[in-house]
Structures are given as structure tokens and as C-alpha cells.
């Protein structure tokens, strides 16, 4: 039996959810294996049908999902998973998985959530007064992992003022800050892929740009977090075109000379064959004067 997908677009739009493409799922699974190994336990607070976990070598999955039909699909995909059909914000547990894995809904506004959710958020994060709750999804889920967290997030979390507190709280725990291109089946938006290690204390981080369409890393670099913990996303350097200034100058000179010669030749044709009343000699004299003036300025280094 194949992997069951539940993608009710009407419901998914309501909860700001999108289907993660298979190349991004495999990319995530490789990252999880690299940091955590195999036969591990996973916590996912916005699990959907379990798409993110499709290629992870798991021994246990603890999942929270607000859509009932998505929960049914998830149980079909992972019969042994522990699935809770409820809001992540009101969920409480003492579970400690080997890793948290999440692609939470993007840019849900705090004020638009049910009152019960708002109260739960304010109780856990008293500083959270307004704005979107991308940061709440991430910070709350870190409570349920022993060490590592892997997140697919909207790029705004790296620069929006509303997520400043989240970036400060994560601090030097950030391990990787990657840009993912073409990662979703139903939206072209680029996203961030974050790796967080609760035991990491140094400011060094890795960055890369990964294109899911080509399934390869387009660019990679290492960096250090600044003291304000602003997250600077990786950008592929643009190679500057090398210009041979001597060649460009020579081509411009020749172009000017060619145009002058063509003009003089055309004037002569008009005079010789059509008896045109053209004072070509006067024009040539003016040209000589311009050339003589610039020759004088050049010889005496007169500034133009």
C-alpha cells in the first residue's frame, strides 16, 4: 500500500498548510539521520498525514494534528504512531523524543486563534502579545525533544521584528540556516530549513541553498551569529563579468572613426553625383579644430 496523502485544499488553506514535496522530505530525512542516527523517536506538532516522516528511520512517532482526516491518513501510514487530534497550543505532555520535526502552518495570527489557544500561548510565553505564531510552534516543540529540532519555516522568522525574541532565545543553539527552493507541490515560495541543537553553545553555523527540483546543494558557506542573533540567510554570490578596458576603448575608437568615415563618404557621394550644395571642407575644418584642441589639452595635461 502506498503512502496516503490527505490534501483537502479548502481545509489546508484555513490552517495555512502546504504539501511538502518528496525531495524536501528526503532532504529532511538525510539531515535527521546525519545528526540523530537511525531507529529514533520523532515528535511532530503539526504532523498532517505524516509527510515529513515518510523517509525517516523511526521507532516511534508522537504526532499532533488538528485536522481529523489528516489524523486518519497518518494512522494509515504509521499504524504504531501515537496521534492526538487537537490543537498543538493546548497540548501538554512530558514526552522527550530524540528529535522534533515540524513544518508548522505559516503566519497564523495570534488574535485569530480560539480563545483557549491564545490563553495557552500567553501562559507559556508571557511576552507574546500579538503578531503571528510561527515562533510559538518552534519554541513550544523544543520542549518535547531531548536535543535536536528540524524545522521548515517561512523566511520571515529570520528577519521579522516579531520573531526577534525567538531568535534571542534560540541563540547559539542554531546549527544550520538553509534556504530551500522548490520544496512544495502547491506553492513556489522559498522556505528556511533550520537545525537546532539544544546543547550547542558556539556561534558558528552552516548555511546552504538547496534546490529540490535539481535535488542538489547550489551553494554552501559557514558563518557566525552576531551578538544580536540576527539571522542572515545565505545568498549565492553573483560572478562579476570581467571587462577588458583596453579592448572596450579600442572598439569605441574604431566605432567613432568608422561613423566619421561613413559620413564623409556619404557627403562626397551627394556632392559628386547629385551636385549637393554641401560645404564639406568647412565640416572637415571643424573636425580638425576639435582634434587640434584635444591634442593641445592632452599635451599640456589640461583638465577637461
Amino acid at each position: 500500500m502506498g503512502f496516503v496523502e490527505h490534501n483537502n485544499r479548502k481545509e489546508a488553506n484555513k490552517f495555512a498548510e502546504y504539501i511538502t514535496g518528496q525531495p524536501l522530505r528526503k532532504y529532511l530525512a538525510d539531515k535527521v539521520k546525519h545528526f540523530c542516527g537511525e531507529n529514533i523517536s520523532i515528535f511532530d506538532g503539526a504532523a498532517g498525514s505524516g509527510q515529513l516522516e515518510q523517509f525517516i528511520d523511526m521507532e516511534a512517532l508522537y504526532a499532533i494534528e488538528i485536522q481529523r482526516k489528516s489524523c486518519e491518513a497518518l494512522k494509515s501510514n504509521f499504524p504504531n504512531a501515537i496521534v492526538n487530534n487537537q490543537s498543538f497550543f493546548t497540548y501538554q505532555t512530558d514526552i522527550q523524543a530524540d528529535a522534533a520535526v515540524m513544518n508548522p502552518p505559516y503566519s497564523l495570527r495570534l488574535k485569530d486563534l480560539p480563545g483557549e489557544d491564545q490563553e495557552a500561548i500567553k501562559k507559556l510565553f508571557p511576552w507574546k502579545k500579538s503578531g503571528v505564531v510561527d515562533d510559538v510552534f518552534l519554541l513550544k516543540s523544543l520542549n518535547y525533544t531531548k536535543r535536536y529540532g528540524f524545522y521548515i519555516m517561512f523566511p520571515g522568522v529570520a528577519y521579522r521584528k516579531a520573531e526577534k525574541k525567538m531568535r534571542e532565545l534560540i541563540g547559539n543553539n542554531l546549527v544550520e540556516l538553509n534556504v530551500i527552493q522548490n520544496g512544495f507541490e502547491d506553492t513556489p515560495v522559498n522556505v528556511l530549513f533550520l537545525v537546532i541543537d539544544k546543547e550547542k553553545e558556539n556561534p558558528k553555523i552552516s548555511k546552504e541553498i538547496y534546490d529540490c527540483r535539481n535535488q542538489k546543494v547550489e551553494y554552501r558557506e559557514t558563518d557566525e551569529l552576531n551578538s544580536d542573533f540576527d539571522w542572515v540567510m545565505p545568498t549565492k554570490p553573483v560572478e562579476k563579468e570581467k571587462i577588458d578596458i583596453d579592448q572596450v576603448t579600442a572598439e569605441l575608437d574604431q566605432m567613432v572613426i568608422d561613423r566619421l568615415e561613413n559620413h564623409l563618404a556619404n557627403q562626397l557621394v551627394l556632392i559628386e553625383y547629385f551636385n549637393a550644395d554641401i560645404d564639406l571642407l568647412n565640416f572637415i575644418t571643424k573636425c580638425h579644430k576639435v582634434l587640434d584642441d584635444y591634442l593641445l589639452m592632452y599635451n599640456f595635461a589640461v583638465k577637461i
Side-chain angles (χ1 to χ4, degrees), residues 28 72-74 84 93 113 166 186 209 212 233 236 241 301-302:
L28 180 142
E72 294 172 358
L74 191 153
N84 289 272
T93 184
L113 296 177
M166 178 202 73
D186 43 10
I209 300 173
C212 290
M233 292 179 283
K236 192 175 182 179
E241 182 182 359
V302 176

Side-chain angles (χ1 to χ4, degrees), residues 118-175:
Q118 294 188 41
E119 289 302 316
I121 290 171
K122 292 176 181 178
K123 184 176 181 180
L124 193 58
F125 306 106
W127 47 266
K128 187 69 179 180
K129 304 296 184 183
S130 60
V132 297
V133 293
D134 302 48
D135 50 354
V136 175
F137 276 109
L138 190 153
L139 292 172
K140 180 174 168 59
S141 66
L142 283 173
N143 293 327
Y144 309 127
T145 174
K146 298 174 186 175
R147 180 171 178 180
Y148 288 103
F150 303 85
Y151 299 93
I152 300 170
M153 304 292 290
F154 186 73
V157 302
Y159 55 80
R160 288 189 301 217
K161 186 177 180 181
E163 279 86 357
K164 179 73 172 179
K165 183 67 173 180
M166 178 202 73
R167 295 192 294 271
E168 292 176 350
L169 290 172
I170 293 173
N172 288 326
N173 294 151
L174 184 64
V175 179

Side-chain angles (χ1 to χ4, degrees), residues 76 94 110 169 180 222:
S76 177
D94 56 0
L110 177 64
L169 290 172
I180 305 296
T222 57

Side-chain angles (χ1 to χ4, degrees), residues 54-95:
Q54 183 177 4
F55 300 105
I56 299 176
D57 187 349
M58 299 181 298
E59 65 175 10
L61 171 60
Y62 307 99
I64 314 300
E65 172 53 44
I66 197 169
Q67 295 192 58
R68 179 180 58 80
K69 290 184 178 179
S70 291
C71 289
E72 294 172 358
L74 191 153
K75 286 294 289 184
S76 177
N77 292 322
F78 304 103
N80 296 324
I82 298 175
V83 182
N84 289 272
N85 181 200
Q86 69 168 94
S87 167
F88 173 65
F89 304 118
T90 58
Y91 175 74
Q92 295 183 26
T93 184
D94 56 0
I95 289 171

